[in-house]
């Protein structure tokens, strides 16, 4: 019983304590230094890399589809002359 009363007193103290002060504004991790002159080299590199990766992904997908169709036809081919 005494332990229960101690716990209740502790919780009452914790509940009565004022909340910790919070910052009204927080800083962002990335800060724009000078947006009057954007870094066009970085922008071009980012978009160019993205475009190259998408082109590679689409090309690889098309090749995979062609290989899938080729194997599907070979699997369905039941000829006595081939075996």
């Amino acid at each position: 019983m005494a332990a229960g009363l101690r716990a209740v007193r502790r919780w009452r103290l914790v509940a009565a304590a004022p909340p910790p002060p919070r910052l009204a504004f927080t800083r962002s991790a990335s800060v724009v230094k000078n947006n009057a002159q954007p870094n066009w080299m970085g922008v071009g590199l980012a978009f160019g890399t993205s475009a190259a990766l998408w082109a590679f992904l689409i090309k690889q997908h098309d090749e995979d589809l062609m290989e899938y169709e080729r194997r599907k036809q070979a699997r369905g081919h039941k000829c006595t002359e081939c075996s």
Side-chain angles (χ1 to χ4, degrees), residues 16-65:
R22 295 183 184 177
L23 296 175
F25 299 101
T26 57
R27 281 188 69 125
S28 175
S30 62
V31 178
V32 176
K33 294 178 184 172
N34 183 7
N35 64 354
Q37 292 180 340
N39 182 3
W40 291 114
M41 185 71 145
V43 171
L45 186 63
F47 280 115
T49 304
S50 179
L53 287 173
W54 272 105
F56 175 74
L57 181 69
I58 291 169
K59 179 180 158 282
Q60 189 66 40
H61 177 69
D62 290 343
E63 289 176 1
D64 289 345
L65 279 179

Side-chain angles (χ1 to χ4, degrees), residues 60-77:
Q60 189 66 40
H61 177 69
D62 290 343
E63 289 176 1
D64 289 345
L65 279 179
M66 287 174 31
E67 181 68 17
Y68 171 75
E69 291 296 329
R70 186 189 65 77
R71 289 185 182 189
K72 189 168 124 181
Q73 284 180 353
R75 189 177 38 217
H77 184 72

